[in-house]
Amino acid sequence: MMKIGVLTSGGDSPGMNAAVRAVVRFGIARGMKVYGIYRGYEGLIDGELEELDRRAVGDILQRGGTMLKTARSERFMTEAGRRKAVTTIETFGLDAIVVIGGNGSFAGALELSRLGVNVMCIPGTIDNDLGYTESTIGFDTAVNTVLDAITRIRDTSSSHERTTVVEVMGRHCGDIALYAGIAGGAEAVLLPEVDRDVNSVCRKIIEGCNQGKQHSIIIKAEGYPMDSQELVKEISERTGRSVRLVVLSYLQRGGSPTLQDRMLATRCGDKAIELLDAGLTNKAIGLVDGKVLGFNLKEALAETQDFDRHLYEYVDVLSR
C-alpha cells in the first residue's frame, strides 16, 4: 500500500483546503494511506504527521485558509534541516510528498527530490506567478475579493468626489491588480512589470475631472516601485484632488474559495494522485488550455511568467 504525505506551505490561499480534501479522498479511493503534515516544511522536520481518513477532511471544501496550517521554515532552507525532513519521511515510511504552495514551496520540493524524495506539487498561491500554469489556486478568489472591495470603495469615493488608491498584493507579479483593475473599471493600474510615470496617471485623473468624472480609482500592486503613501501625496499635489489610500493586505487571502478555485483545486488533487498511482513523480500540476496536466518540476519552476501587454492596454482604452 502506497503511503503519501500532504502539506501546505508558504502563504495561505483560498482553495488549499479543497486541494487537501481532494488529495486525501482520491488517494484513499486508490488504496493509499494519506498523512497530513502540519505547518508545512517546519512540521515535516518536527514530525507533525497524522494519518487522515475521509471524515478528517469533511466540511473543509468551503473554508479559506488551510486546515494543515502553514509556516515559513528557516530551518528547511539549510542542508541540515532538509536532511532532518528526509529522516522524518523515512521514519514514517512515506513513498511521496504532495506539496501545495507557491514557487518557494515548489523550490523546497525540488530540493527534497534531489535528496531522493518523490514529490508532487500543486499550485496554491493568490499571486498567479507560476509561469507554467494559466491559473493558480486562490487567484480567482483573491481577485473577486478585491473587486468587492473596489465596489464598496467606489461608493464612498463618488460621494466625496475623491481619488482612491487601492493597494493590492503582488510583489513580483501584478495579475491581481491587472485583472481587478480591468473588471473593476479602474482609471489606472500600477504594476511591477510596467514602468508607468505618475505624471500620466495624474493627467488621466485631471482629464477625467474635466469630462465630469467625480471620482477615480487607482489600483496599485505592492511591487510597483513607489511607496503608496508617497504616491498618494504626489497625486494629491499634482491634481489638487482629495486622495485616500486603502491597503487591502491579508484581506485578499481569506474567504471562501470561488467555484473556479474549488474546481481547480479538486482537479489538481485528482491529477496528483493519478500520476503517483501511475508511478510518476517530481511533477508540477498545472492548467493549460483547460486541461490539468503534470509538468517536469524543475522545468516548471524555470518557466518565466509572460506579461500580457495587450490585456494591460485594456485599462486605458476602457477608462476613457
Side-chain angles (χ1 to χ4, degrees):
M1 178 179 288
M2 181 178 285
K3 296 166 71 174
I4 65 172
V6 56
L7 62 83
T8 52
S9 175
D12 61 301
S13 66
M16 277 186 164
N17 277 330
V20 171
R21 173 180 179 267
V23 168
V24 172
R25 291 190 172 178
F26 282 121
I28 291 173
R30 288 179 179 263
M32 301 176 184
K33 281 191 175 184
V34 185
Y35 287 77
I37 302 167
Y38 293 91
R39 296 174 184 82
Y41 291 121
E42 191 75 0
L44 183 58
I45 291 172
D46 292 332
E48 296 185 56
L49 281 73
E50 177 184 16
E51 185 177 353
L52 301 176
D53 59 18
R54 293 178 58 85
R55 295 277 62 83
V57 292
D59 197 32
I60 67 169
L61 176 68
Q62 76 283 5
R63 297 182 185 177
T66 163
M67 65 161 284
L68 293 177
K69 312 301 180 188
T70 184
R72 301 187 187 277
S73 178
E74 295 291 334
R75 289 189 292 165
F76 190 77
M77 295 180 184
T78 67
E79 182 69 16
R82 290 190 290 271
R83 292 198 175 278
K84 178 64 170 63
V86 172
T87 299
T88 299
I89 292 168
E90 293 171 345
T91 300
F92 279 82
L94 300 182
D95 298 298
I97 300 293
V98 178
V99 174
I100 305 169
N103 50 14
S105 303
F106 281 24
L110 184 61
E111 290 300 319
L112 282 179
S113 73
R114 288 168 176 159
L115 294 174
V117 177
N118 298 322
V119 297
M120 196 68 65
C121 294
I122 293 175
T125 169
I126 67 170
D127 290 332
N128 204 39
D129 58 350
L130 291 167
Y132 77 95
T133 178
E134 292 171 1
S135 186
T136 58
I137 299 165
F139 172 66
D140 186 66
T141 306
V143 172
N144 277 283
T145 298
V146 173
L147 280 176
D148 182 64
I150 291 173
T151 300
R152 297 171 188 272
I153 291 166
R154 188 181 296 280
D155 291 341
T156 296
S157 184
S158 177
S159 297
H160 291 269
E161 299 181 290
R162 67 168 57 128
T163 293
T164 305
V165 174
V166 182
E167 182 189 289
V168 302
M169 285 184 168
R171 190 165 298 135
H172 304 293
C173 175
D175 277 9
I176 292 177
L178 178 58
Y179 282 74
I182 292 171
E187 275 65 38
V189 176
L190 302 174
L191 309 174
E193 295 95 336
V194 179
D195 183 19
R196 179 158 187 178
D197 183 18
V198 177
N199 282 334
S200 66
V201 176
C202 295
R203 187 166 58 250
K204 189 82 175 288
I205 294 170
I206 294 171
E207 289 172 349
C209 291
N210 293 340
Q211 294 169 4
K213 280 191 176 183
Q214 297 181 340
H215 68 280
S216 53
I217 302 289
I218 312 299
I219 309 296
K220 173 190 175 291
E222 63 181 326
Y224 177 74
M226 184 176 189
D227 178 75
S228 294
Q229 292 288 357
E230 184 63 30
L231 176 65
V232 167
K233 181 181 177 183
E234 192 82 6
I235 293 174
S236 179
E237 290 178 351
R238 290 177 182 270
T239 66
R241 298 274 295 175
S242 171
V243 186
R244 295 290 185 273
L245 172 65
V246 176
V247 181
L248 296 182
S249 190
Y250 291 106
L251 178 70
Q252 298 155 84
R253 282 189 179 168
S256 182
T258 59
L259 165 66
Q260 182 170 314
D261 279 329
R262 296 185 198 196
M263 287 300 297
L264 179 59
T266 301
R267 293 176 68 194
C268 285
D270 175 36
K271 178 58 70 171
I273 294 300
E274 176 191 317
L275 294 178
L276 286 173
D277 194 43
L280 301 174
T281 57
N282 304 338
K283 301 290 185 182
I285 311 301
L287 181 71
V288 176
D289 294 331
K291 297 179 181 179
V292 175
L293 306 168
F295 301 86
N296 176 277
L297 177 56
K298 184 177 180 180
E299 293 175 1
L301 265 175
E303 193 80 26
T304 56
Q305 183 87 354
D306 290 329
F307 178 69
D308 194 333
R309 174 71 61 171
H310 181 64
L311 200 60
Y312 178 73
E313 291 170 356
Y314 281 13
V315 179
D316 283 336
V317 174
L318 294 172
S319 61
R320 286 174 186 166

